[in-house]
Amino acid sequence: MHHRCVTSLQPYDSETHREQALDVLRGLLSRGPVPYTPHPGEWDWWMFHADPRDQSEWLIGPDAVVEIALDIGEVAAFGLAPEDIIELGRARLPGTRFTVSHVSLADHARVGALRSAGFELEGPPSPLFERGTSGASPTSVDGFEIRSIRGEDEH
């Protein structure tokens, strides 16, 4: 069974699809902390600092971005339901036992769906760094200032 999300994916090109990918990630992040979604800046880091020895296939769709690490049999999909991730992995890595990465243990629905499909947690989870953005004000330290970036020259 092909889901619309999977069939609408196409090869990612950083020059053509960068803004679309960043918009997809911003949209996913606006939904909240679950499921795990990389920050658009993290995506840029992945794209522009990719190890040329890695054999990855990058895909993009209207609501999803995907990396399939062909050399290690791993699927990292953001914006796809678990059943779509599994379908994609089976289609792109036929006959390979693959892993699904970048799944937060706080995403109980996704973890449950993957476990129901026969996936298991493999190895220790990656550390998760979270910080709420409402409520507490940052503490000040003598000699330092916390402020917004003033322009592109400060990136």
Side-chain angles (χ1 to χ4, degrees), residues 27-126:
L28 293 171
L29 285 169
S30 71
R31 296 180 191 170
V34 173
Y36 168 77
T37 301
H39 185 277
E42 188 175 9
W43 178 262
D44 272 347
W45 178 263
W46 292 350
M47 294 296 102
F48 297 111
H49 295 91
D51 187 331
R53 297 170 294 183
D54 293 344
Q55 298 173 16
S56 291
E57 178 181 9
W58 298 89
L59 304 170
I60 188 162
D63 302 311
V65 291
V66 177
E67 177 193 13
I68 302 172
L70 302 167
D71 51 345
I72 60 172
E74 182 178 275
V75 179
F78 311 100
L80 294 181
E83 60 272 11
D84 292 333
I85 297 169
I86 295 167
E87 177 185 336
L88 186 61
R90 288 180 178 152
R92 293 293 211 272
L93 299 163
T96 302
R97 183 177 175 190
F98 63 92
T99 59
V100 176
S101 67
H102 294 79
V103 177
S104 170
L105 292 179
D107 189 346
H108 303 292
R110 187 171 297 262
V111 169
L114 290 168
R115 285 193 174 165
S116 293
F119 286 81
E120 299 174 13
L121 181 63
E122 201 173 84
S126 299

